[in-house]
Amino acid sequence: WLKLSAREPASRSRPRRPSVESAAAFAAQRRTPVSAMQFTPQQLTGGPKYHHHTRIGNWSEDQELEEIRLKDFLAQKEAGGLKVTAKQQQLEECLQREELSGSPDGALKFGMKVMLFNQQSRGFLSVNPYDQVMKQCEAYMCTTSGRSDPSVRNVFHVLRVDEADGFEDDVVHYGQIVRLGVAPFGSRMQKPSYVHSEMVTAMAAAKFSRHQEVTALAEASGETKWQLLYPDVNNRFEMEGEPVPAGSPVCLRHVQTGSFLASDEIPYDNIFGREMEVHCFAYFSLNKTQNLTSEKKGDITGDYALRKHGLPNIWTVRTETHDGQS
C-alpha cells in the first residue's frame, strides 16, 4: 500500500474555480425574468403548424385574441372605417353620373354643362376633392382622366363673368371672359368651385412639371377668369368675337397670368388610378415665324402671336350632341 501510494502524484487534480466572466454570465442568466418568454416551447417548435384549436400552449389566450380582432373588424366595417370601404365610398361619390347639356343649334352657350378633352393627354379635365391644396380657401387638385363617362367630377358649367361684356346674347364668343364651375358633390366639396390658377411661387407650383398650378377654388376670384381663344394663331384676330361652336377645339387663356391651360403626359397617381397632370404653360412651337419681316411689310404689328400652339394647349369642348370626335 505504501508503494502504491508513493506512485500516485503528490498533488491530486483539484476542481477549477469558475472564472469571473463565467460567474457574471451565470448571474445574468439567473436574473433574466421568466416572463420575457412570450411563446411556449410547442409554439416555438411548431411555428404556424399549431393553432389554438390544438389545445396546446397559450390556446386560450390565442382564441380570445382572435375573437377580439374579429369584433374590431366587424365594428369598423359597420362604421365604414375600413380602408377598402372608405375608398369605395369615395369612388361612388365622385363617379356619380351627370348629364351633359345638348347643343341642337351647334353653338356653345352660358349655363351649359360640358366636358373638356385634352388632345395631348387624351383625357378629360377632372377634379379630385380628396386631393386638397393649401390656398386662401378650399381648393382641390385638377387632373385629366381617361374616363369618358360624364360624372360630377368632370362636368363643368360655363358661367358668365360680366353681363355688360359687350355681347347681348347668351352665346359664348371667342375672347369673352368666362368661368368654369363645378357643382358641389360628395362629403368634401360643399361649395361650388371654379378652375383656378396663379403665378408660380415657392408655395404654389405644379407637383411634377413645376409650371403654374391648376386647382378648383371654392371662391369666384379674379384668378378664376378664362378666355376661349381660337386655336389657330393665324386666324385668331379675325375670329375674335365670333360664336364658339360646340364640340370645337379651343385654347383656354388665363386672364390674370396670360398663360394657357395645358395637360401633358405626366403621370399623376391618385385614388382613381393613373391620371395626367394639369397645369398652365404656353406650349408654343420653336420654329421661326418671320415676325420682323411681316412687321416691316405692315402685315402685322408687334402684338401678334404667330407661334402655333402645341397639342397640350388644345382642348375640345364636348356637349351631349357634339363630342368633337367626328
Side-chain angles (χ1 to χ4, degrees), residues 227-285:
Q227 283 180 306
L228 274 68
L229 302 180
Y230 194 72
D232 188 2
V233 294
N234 296 321
N235 300 323
R236 181 171 294 174
F237 182 77
E238 290 80 0
M239 295 298 296
E240 193 79 13
E242 294 295 326
V244 179
S248 62
V250 297
C251 289
L252 289 166
R253 177 180 175 271
H254 192 233
V255 174
Q256 185 163 349
T257 61
S259 188
F260 292 86
L261 186 67
S263 178
D264 204 350
E265 295 177 351
I266 303 175
Y268 195 110
D269 296 328
N270 51 28
I271 62 174
F272 304 98
R274 172 152 294 187
E275 298 185 343
M276 300 300 168
E277 183 187 85
V278 175
H279 50 266
C280 275
F281 186 74
Y283 286 88
F284 288 128
S285 62

Side-chain angles (χ1 to χ4, degrees), residues 75-318:
Q76 292 182 2
K77 184 177 180 180
E78 293 178 359
L82 295 177
K83 292 184 178 180
V84 177
T85 307
K87 184 177 181 180
Q88 183 178 0
Q89 292 178 355
Q90 294 173 3
L91 294 177
E92 290 178 355
E93 290 179 356
C94 298
L95 299 180
Q96 296 179 13
R97 184 168 180 81
E98 182 74 9
E99 297 295 333
L100 294 175
S101 299
S103 51
D105 55 355
L108 183 65
K109 298 181 180 180
F110 288 105
M112 280 188 172
K113 294 185 289 186
V114 300
M115 298 175 65
L116 296 174
F117 178 77
N118 186 263
Q119 298 292 339
Q120 176 68 19
S121 63
R122 311 301 297 176
F124 293 89
L125 183 64
S126 306
V127 180
N128 183 8
Y130 294 96
D131 189 1
Q132 296 189 0
V133 188
M134 295 297 296
K135 301 291 181 183
Q136 65 268 22
C137 59
E138 293 84 357
Y140 314 97
M141 189 59 66
C142 291
T143 55
T144 51
S145 173
R147 298 176 181 270
S148 59
D149 298 330
S151 61
V152 291
R153 68 181 295 254
N154 59 15
V155 173
F156 295 85
H157 298 253
V158 183
L159 306 175
R160 196 167 192 166
V161 176
D162 187 8
E163 295 293 338
D165 53 7
F167 299 96
E168 298 180 355
D169 52 3
D170 60 345
V171 178
V172 181
H173 300 80
Y174 287 112
Q176 195 171 4
I177 300 177
V178 301
R179 281 194 178 97
L180 300 174
V182 183
F185 64 91
S187 57
R188 294 287 186 90
M189 203 168 177
Q190 302 294 335
K191 300 179 181 178
S193 301
Y194 309 92
V195 180
H196 162 273
S197 185
E198 58 184 331
M199 293 294 294
V200 176
T201 62
M203 300 297 294
K207 187 174 182 180
F208 299 104
S209 64
R210 308 308 296 175
H211 295 315
Q212 279 186 211
E213 189 179 43
V214 176
T215 59
L217 190 71
E219 181 182 355
S221 62
E223 296 175 339
T224 59
K225 297 179 181 180
W226 301 84
Q227 283 180 306
L228 274 68
L229 302 180
Y230 194 72
D232 188 2
V233 294
N234 296 321
N235 300 323
R236 181 171 294 174
F237 182 77
E238 290 80 0
M239 295 298 296
E240 193 79 13
E242 294 295 326
V244 179
S248 62
V250 297
C251 289
L252 289 166
R253 177 180 175 271
H254 192 233
V255 174
Q256 185 163 349
T257 61
S259 188
F260 292 86
L261 186 67
S263 178
D264 204 350
E265 295 177 351
I266 303 175
Y268 195 110
D269 296 328
N270 51 28
I271 62 174
F272 304 98
R274 172 152 294 187
E275 298 185 343
M276 300 300 168
E277 183 187 85
V278 175
H279 50 266
C280 275
F281 186 74
Y283 286 88
F284 288 128
S285 62
L286 302 179
N287 61 311
K288 295 182 179 180
T289 55
Q290 308 296 334
N291 288 33
L292 296 178
T293 304
S294 301
E295 289 182 24
K296 182 180 179 180
K297 294 180 180 179
D299 296 337
I300 62 172
T301 58
D303 57 349
Y304 271 66
L306 297 181
R307 295 189 182 274
K308 296 182 180 180
H309 284 280
L311 289 180
N313 289 138
I314 307 300
W315 299 82
T316 301
V317 183
R318 175 186 175 186

